[in-house]
Every structure is written in structure tokens, then in C-alpha cells.
């Protein structure tokens, strides 16, 4: 059972454009939502995270939005750069188990 | 801070052989997680330890897979009688809990290839 659904599977944007990735979930015990960035040959690296008590968190060009009622979250990357080309994973952690469930990932390509 | 260290980075085994993967968490981190990553299945949780104690191994295949954390400086994942379907990147992550949530820091992974 896929507990965290992520879309799109892949995405291509032009340099300077805005990238939007989305995820949805069903488990109401999820309360912590990190986004990870992974480059080929490396492990995932924490990019930005948000708690369920917040609806927005911003870090430079990266912003994550959280909608508790709809059980959805999104990652926005403004002024996308070729160096942002990577695979992005949303994830969710349950307050009951402290176990993190990952989405299927979005492969982003930013073209110069 | 060297980050999470995983050794070896690549391992090739023959079918039926044993593979032991090592993870050294970030110093001071109290939780260690193991994941398996494949193209088909994505990132799958295997098991995790907190303060060296096994907390949840619900993702571990019941046969052939085992994990240990004998001390706070390393954890091992052992796969007995490896099969081609075990081929994957095995990732270790460690975390220092804050509040009731964890920020996990991943190692570079060990790519296991079973011939």
C-alpha cells in the first residue's frame, strides 16, 4: 500500500522557471513532512521540512506548503537552476511510530 | 563532521553468498535507520534502532536479513544466502531526535549486486 503519493514522476523545466512538486497522504497520524533531494550516486539529503502545525515554510528558493484538511503538501522551487536537477522525495513521519514513509520520487531536469 | 559513513560503497556477491554492510552514524546521533532503494520499489524502510535498541523491523524480510547495533558507533545489515532480487542500494541514516520528530541524515549507500 502506497501511503504517500507523489507526482509528477518526472518533470522538465527551463532555467529560471518555477518547479512545483506535489504529494498526498492518507494517514492522519503523519505530523512531520520532510523533502529530500538526491543526486545520482549519493544518499538523499534533507532539503526542507514542515510540521503539521504549519502551512508554509520557506528556505531561500525552496518553499513547502502543507494543507492539513486536504492531506496534501507541495514543494515550490523558484528561479530553478540546472544544479537543481535531481530526484526529489516527499516523506511523512507518523507521531505514533517515528517511521518515515517516502513518496516514489520526482526526477527533475532543469534545462539551461 | 564526516556525516554518515557506509562501507563498502560497492559489493558484488555470488548467489548464495553472505553480505555484511556497515554503517557508522554521525557521532551523537541516537537513532539509526536502514532503507533499501531500487528503481522498481523506490525507498523502502527496513529497520531502525534507537539508543542501540531495535525498535521496528517491520520492513525486514523475515528470512536471510538481520541487523544489529552492537555499540553507538556502528550498525550492520547482514544478508545471508544472497539472491539476485537483493540487488539494490542499501542506505543508512542517522538522526538526533528533536521534539517528537526526527531529521534523518543519509549516508551515500552501499550498492549491492548479486550475480
Amino acid at each position: 500500500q502506497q501511503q504517500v503519493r507523489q507526482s509528477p514522476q518526472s518533470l522538465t523545466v527551463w532555467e529560471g522557471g518555477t518547479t512545483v512538486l506535489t504529494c498526498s497522504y492518507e494517514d492522519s497520524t503523519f505530523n512531520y513532512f520532510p523533502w529530500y533531494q538526491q543526486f545520482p550516486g549519493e544518499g538523499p539529503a534533507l532539503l526542507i521540512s514542515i510540521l503539521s502545525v504549519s502551512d508554509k515554510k520557506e528556505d531561500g528558493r525552496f518553499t513547502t506548503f502543507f494543507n492539513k484538511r486536504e492531506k496534501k503538501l507541495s514543494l515550490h522551487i523558484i528561479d530553478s537552476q540546472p544544479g537543481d536537477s535531481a530526484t526529489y522525495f516527499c516523506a511523512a513521519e507518523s507521531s505514533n511510530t517515528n517511521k518515515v514513509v517516502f513518496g516514489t520520487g520526482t526526477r527533475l531536469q532543469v534545462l539551461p | 563532521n564526516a556525516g554518515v559513513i557506509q562501507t563498502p560503497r560497492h559489493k558484488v556477491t555470488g548467489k548464495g553468498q553472505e553480505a555484511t554492510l556497515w554503517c557508522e552514524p554521525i557521532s551523537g546521533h541516537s537513532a539509526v535507520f536502514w532503507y533499501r532503494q531500487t528503481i522498481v520499489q523506490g525507498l523502502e524502510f527496513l529497520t531502525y534502532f534507537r539508543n542501540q535498541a531495535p525498535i521496528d523491523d517491520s520492513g525486514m524480510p523475515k528470512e536471510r536479513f538481520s541487523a544489529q547495533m552492537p555499540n553507538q558507533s556502528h550498525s550492520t545489515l547482514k544478508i545471508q544466502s544472497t539472491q539476485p532480487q537483493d540487488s539494490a542500494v542499501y542506505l543508512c541514516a542517522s538522526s538526533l531526535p528533536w521534539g517528537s520528530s526526527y531529521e534523518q541524515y543519509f549516508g551515500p549507500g552501499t550498492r549491492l549486486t548479486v550475480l
Side-chain angles (χ1 to χ4, degrees):
Chain A
Q1 179 184 0
Q2 181 60 44
Q3 298 184 54
V4 179
R5 290 181 292 276
Q6 184 170 354
S7 64
Q9 188 173 9
S10 63
L11 181 64
T12 300
V13 301
W14 293 104
E15 181 176 0
T18 297
T19 298
V20 180
L21 312 179
T22 62
C23 287
S24 63
Y25 66 96
E26 296 175 357
D27 191 335
S28 58
T29 67
F30 288 152
N31 67 334
Y32 170 65
F33 303 89
W35 287 88
Y36 285 87
Q37 178 189 56
Q38 185 177 30
F39 295 105
E42 299 181 10
L46 181 65
L47 184 63
I48 191 170
S49 63
I50 191 167
L51 289 169
S52 58
V53 294
S54 301
D55 56 12
K56 177 183 176 181
K57 187 172 182 181
E58 192 173 336
D59 185 357
R61 296 185 294 110
F62 300 89
T63 302
T64 182
F65 295 90
F66 176 69
N67 186 319
K68 189 171 185 177
R69 183 180 60 82
E70 295 186 6
K71 295 183 178 175
K72 291 183 177 179
L73 59 155
S74 63
L75 176 69
H76 294 233
I77 308 173
I78 62 171
D79 189 25
S80 300
Q81 299 296 308
D84 297 332
S85 298
T87 299
Y88 292 80
F89 295 92
C90 64
E93 180 188 315
S94 169
S95 56
N96 290 349
T97 66
N98 290 134
K99 190 168 67 178
V100 175
V101 178
F102 286 84
T104 51
T106 295
R107 182 173 294 181
L108 172 67
Q109 184 177 27
V110 181
L111 299 177
Chain B
N1 192 330
V4 175
I5 298 171
Q6 288 191 251
T7 54
R9 291 295 310 274
H10 303 273
K11 185 169 183 66
V12 180
T13 66
K15 182 178 176 181
Q17 292 184 327
E18 182 178 288
T20 299
L21 313 180
W22 292 71
C23 171
E24 182 178 330
I26 294 172
S27 178
H29 281 196
S30 58
V32 169
F33 302 78
W34 284 97
Y35 296 88
R36 176 168 64 182
Q37 186 173 31
T38 61
I39 297 295
V40 175
Q41 298 295 330
L43 265 163
E44 299 176 281
F45 167 83
L46 294 176
T47 186
Y48 96 92
F49 299 84
R50 187 165 62 221
N51 296 322
Q52 298 173 233
I55 301 299
D56 184 340
D57 66 354
S58 59
M60 292 277 275
K62 296 308 177 189
E63 299 179 358
R64 304 188 295 107
F65 283 64
S66 62
Q68 293 184 325
M69 191 164 184
N71 56 61
Q72 60 185 335
S73 64
H74 88 274
S75 175
T76 59
L77 179 68
K78 182 180 293 186
I79 308 172
Q80 296 178 312
S81 185
T82 54
Q83 303 297 309
Q85 61 264 31
D86 299 331
S87 297
V89 175
Y90 290 83
L91 292 159
C92 175
S94 71
S95 70
L96 180 64
W98 58 277
S100 61
S101 302
Y102 292 85
E103 289 190 357
Q104 297 188 23
Y105 295 85
F106 283 81
T110 294
R111 180 176 295 277
L112 175 67
T113 302
V114 182
L115 301 176

